[in-house]
């Protein structure tokens, strides 16, 4: 049997920015209080500076689909990338590295040193609310995608952060839950992507909120072994925000930086613990040394200029547009409905061809996400893009100048959270500019500062952030112009005492008690209260909302207005009529912020509202219906067999509409393959639970996650891991296995495929490994490697798939070392976890 070679010792991604001798000298120049001060934040998103060693503050920003920056302010816009699920769906390391370079350029523009991304937790279950922020269900695909992301970001001199270490795979009780799993599953499945990230040279790892096998991660022995021991991680371990909950246990663990700060447990208490000898000073020195090494790598240390090999992308919007198409997964395309053929322009003085002649005379674009697509998930990772191209806008732009008429109907409306005022319907009462006026007030009503904001949703002050600590209340006001007559729902969002007035009339005066202590709830999406008031179209209302600011209740406030809802039966009937009168229909359906967001798991995989009913009705009315699913993770698709074309776009980022139009009209091939298995129905599917019982979440499924769980259960999902269609077809012709080359670490599979279609295309060749069973694992297929090839019609191509060495190994029963899996080894090649037409033994 092949004995896999040891994995290489990790090395930094670039030449060292500073010598170890100089780091030691810098640490020696600091007294103990200065060292302690460096080990927790100096604010929410920055660390302390230390002029004595030439250290400036390190600045952090949330990610991963954009660099928000230190301020959470709609005036400080950012590029919005496709969600991590979309990036993993591309199965394209080169593209992900390019996007990482784009993020580095954005970070440098915003003066950010550390990007708090990528998220390496697994798609253990599709019910996880933060599914969209994670890459995949398979640790190999997660690891490779993360490594490409990290290389792209760090080549630009910005630190990437592998998070959340470890087993932080659901949101229910995420701050305190205890993930209980056996040692083999922990190492072989959940730690595996983090090991890959370390070997890719990641500079920061974030310890998670949760416990693992009884120990909270900020003081877990897993920070020592394997992270800083066997893996050789030489960077900084930063806590998730608020995850350090002790002084001595966390300090004695290899936890380096407590955020945010100044942290009450790592200030004077830690100083006292060191002086009393309960925490050795050399432990503190080791943490400071790592922090200074990170500062050197990102250019925050005086006299150190690290290399930057990734310039800003020349055409960021073009790259984002290409990424949309690359991540789109074509799940179904009966009769070759896609790509659609628009009607050619009519000749001068003549008539264009009819739809029956091969083009579309009329195209219906239908659905709640068509004119306002959801381009990112909810929670702390959200950014404010400067502009978003909706599917409807993208389709109209693509068909501009053609003879195709585009008609639109919404069909149904989604969402229960209120819609903040915006530049289109509100003006600042003081200046008359589009937007709102925000005032921070002292206890006696004195104005401390005022800001003109572009949106009625204000997460934190932007112009004078320090005043928020002394302000007693915040007020949002606007001159609001209703677009339609009727009963408007006017809302104020925020915790504590809130009020809302319209033209001086009190509508709301109440106290909103917090429902949760979760940071996402408190700081991003707190509770709201709503009142109904009749309004006249075009007649301005002066709206004023206030909330009192109290410690631990955040700063978020919003002034919102929602129009009278149309009769849904009539709206569905209108959409069906719109589809019936068109040569083809494109539908865009999806989820909402309430359903897919950090801070809460999903209670159902069904599309919200009456979307399933709408899709079924439109597909029945028009046999040429394309359904685009705009979600971050799997949803049930009960109508999938009646829709001839089904395209998954995930949360596609700001260039959504242009990228989707490229796919719909054949200017680009849908390049994606599923990074996670999609259930037909959640009921009866092998999907692990997200909710802990008595604080404990048991990973009772062991190593059987995703497609491996489905196969073991003998169940059939709607769509298997790895599935995805292009605009051509492929034949798998031959599989040859080469042993490891001298100095190599694993064998290589050569897979010959042929393009049997009529247009050039790209195929993602996937190789799976089966082994003999053991007491812990049945040896069923696991992803062992993948590679993409391109070929013209009729042309053959050979995919060189490097077999990842780790898949040939298992953790020993005592959890102490890696040993070979039992034989025999067989490699299987094909286009998905369900279909592998080629097999060959791996030589023994």
């Amino acid at each position: 049997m092949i004995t896999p070679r040891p994995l290489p010792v990790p090395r930094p991604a670039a030449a060292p920015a500073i010598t170890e001798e100089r780091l030691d000298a810098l640490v020696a120049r600091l007294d103990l209080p200065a060292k302690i001060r460096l080990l927790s934040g100096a604010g929410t998103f920055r660390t302390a500076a230390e002029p004595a060693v030439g250290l400036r503050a390190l600045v952090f920003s949330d990610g991963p689909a954009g660099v928000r920056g230190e301020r959470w302010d709609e005036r400080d816009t950012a590029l919005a990338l496709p969600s991590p699920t979309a990036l993993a769906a591309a199965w394209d390391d080169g593209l992900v590295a390019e996007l990482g370079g784009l993020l580095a350029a954005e970070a440098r523009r915003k003066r950010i040193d550390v990007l708090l991304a990528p998220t390496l937790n697994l798609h253990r279950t599709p019910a996880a609310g933060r599914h969209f922020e994670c890459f995949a269900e398979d640790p190999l695909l997660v690891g490779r995608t993360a490594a490409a992301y990290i290389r792209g970001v760090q080549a630009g001199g910005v630190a990437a952060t592998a998070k959340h270490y470890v087993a932080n795979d659901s949101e229910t009780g995420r701050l305190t839950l205890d993930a209980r799993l056996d040692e083999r599953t922990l190492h072989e499945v959940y730690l595996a992507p983090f090991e890959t990230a370390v070997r890719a040279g990641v500079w920061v790892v974030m310890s998670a909120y949760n416990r693992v096998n009884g120990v909270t991660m900020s003081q877990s022995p897993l920070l020592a072994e394997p992270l800083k021991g066997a893996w050789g991680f030489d960077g900084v371990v930063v806590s998730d925000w608020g995850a350090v909950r002790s002084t001595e246990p966390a300090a004695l663990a290899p936890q380096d930086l407590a955020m945010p700060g100044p942290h009450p447990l790592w200030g004077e208490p830690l100083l006292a613990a060191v002086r009393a000898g309960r925490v050795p000073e050399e432990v503190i020195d080791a943490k400071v040394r790592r922090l200074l090494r990170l500062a050197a790598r990102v250019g925050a240390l005086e006299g150190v200029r690290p290399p930057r090999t990734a310039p800003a992308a020349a055409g960021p919007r073009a790259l984002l547009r290409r990424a949309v198409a690359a991540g789109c997964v074509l799940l179904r395309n009966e009769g070759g409905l896609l790509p659609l053929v628009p009607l050619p322009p009519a000749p001068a003085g003549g008539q264009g061809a009819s739809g029956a002649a091969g083009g579309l005379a009329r195209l219906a674009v239908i659905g709640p996400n068509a004119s306002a697509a959801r381009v990112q998930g909810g929670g702390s990772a959200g950014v404010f893009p400067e502009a978003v191209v909706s599917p409807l806008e993208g389709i109209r732009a693509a068909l501009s100048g053609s003879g195709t008429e585009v008609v639109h109907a919404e069909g149904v409306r989604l969402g229960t959270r209120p819609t903040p005022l915006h530049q289109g319907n509100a003006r600042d009462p003081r200046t008359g500019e589009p937007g709102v006026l925000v005032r921070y007030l002292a206890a006696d009503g004195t104005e401390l500062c005022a800001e003109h904001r572009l949106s009625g949703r204000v997460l934190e002050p932007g112009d004078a952030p320090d005043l928020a600590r002394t302000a007693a209340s915040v007020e949002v006001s606007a001159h609001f112009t209703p677009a339609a007559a009727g009963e408007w729902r006017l809302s104020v969002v925020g915790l504590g005492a809130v009020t809302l007035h319209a033209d001086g009339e009190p509508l709301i005066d109440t106290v909103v008690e917090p429902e949760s202590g979760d940071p996402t709830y408190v700081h991003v999406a707190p509770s709201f209260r709503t009142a109904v008031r009749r309004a006249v179209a075009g007649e301005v209302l002066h709206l004023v909302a206030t909330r009192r600011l109290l410690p631990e209740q955040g700063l978020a406030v919003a002034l919102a207005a929602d129009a009278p809802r149309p009769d849904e039966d009539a709206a569905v009937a209108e959409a069906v009529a719109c589809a019936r009168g068109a040569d083809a229909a494109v539908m865009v359906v999806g989820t909402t912020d309430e359903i897919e967001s950090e801070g809460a798991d999903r209670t159902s995989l069904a599309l919200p509202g009456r979307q399933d009913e709408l899709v079924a009705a439109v597909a029945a009315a028009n046999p040429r219906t394309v359904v685009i699913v705009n979600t971050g993770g799997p949803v049930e698709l009960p109508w999938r067999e009646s829709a001839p074309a089904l395209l998954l776009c995930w949360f596609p980022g700001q260039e959504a509409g242009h990228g989707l139009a490229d796919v719909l009209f054949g200017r680009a091939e849908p390049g994606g393959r599923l990074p996670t298995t999609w259930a037909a129905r959640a009921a009866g599917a092998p999907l692990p639970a997200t909710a802990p019982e008595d604080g404990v979440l048991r990973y009772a499924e062991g190593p059987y996650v995703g497609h491996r769980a489905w196969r073991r259960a003998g169940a059939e999902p709607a769509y298997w891991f790895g599935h995805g269609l292009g605009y051509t077809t492929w034949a798998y012709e031959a599989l040859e296995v080469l042993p490891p080359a001298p100095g190599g670490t694993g064998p290589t599979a050569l897979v010959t495929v042929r393009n049997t279609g009529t247009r050039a295309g790209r195929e993602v060749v996937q190789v799976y490994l089966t082994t003999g069973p053991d007491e812990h694992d049945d040896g069923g297929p696991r992803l062992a490697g993948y590679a993409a090839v391109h070929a013209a019609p009729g042309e053959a191509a050979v995919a060189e798939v490097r077999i990842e060495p780790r898949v040939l190994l298992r953790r020993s029963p005592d959890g102490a070392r890696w040993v070979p899996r039992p034989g025999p080894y067989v490699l299987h090649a094909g286009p998905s976890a369900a279909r592998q037409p080629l097999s060959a033994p791996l030589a023994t």
Side-chain angles (χ1 to χ4, degrees), residues 84-97 135-138 140-142 144-145 148 323 325-329 650 671-677 707 720-724 762-768 782-790 801 830-833:
T85 42
L87 301 189
W91 297 59
D92 187 337
D93 298 350
L95 174 64
V96 173
F135 288 124
E137 71 182 28
D138 185 276
L140 189 152
L141 180 57
V142 173
R144 274 189 54 173
T145 307
C328 280
V329 182
W650 311 102
R673 305 295 185 267
L674 285 179
T676 192
T677 304
H707 65 94
W720 285 90
F721 173 80
H723 171 69
R762 173 182 181 265
E763 175 73 341
V764 178
V765 176
Q766 302 162 41
V767 174
Y768 293 80
R782 72 188 73 237
L783 185 65
Y786 59 89
V789 294
H790 297 79
V801 181
S832 76

Side-chain angles (χ1 to χ4, degrees), residues 521-558:
Y521 168 78
V522 172
H523 300 292
V524 183
S527 301
F528 60 91
R529 296 294 183 265
T530 298
V532 175
R533 189 189 192 280
R534 178 166 291 278
V536 177
E539 189 172 293
V540 174
L541 288 176
H542 183 206
L543 302 181
V544 181
T546 68
R547 69 156 291 199
R548 186 168 297 279
L549 299 176
L550 294 174
E552 311 303 324
Q553 291 191 357
L555 302 170
V557 63

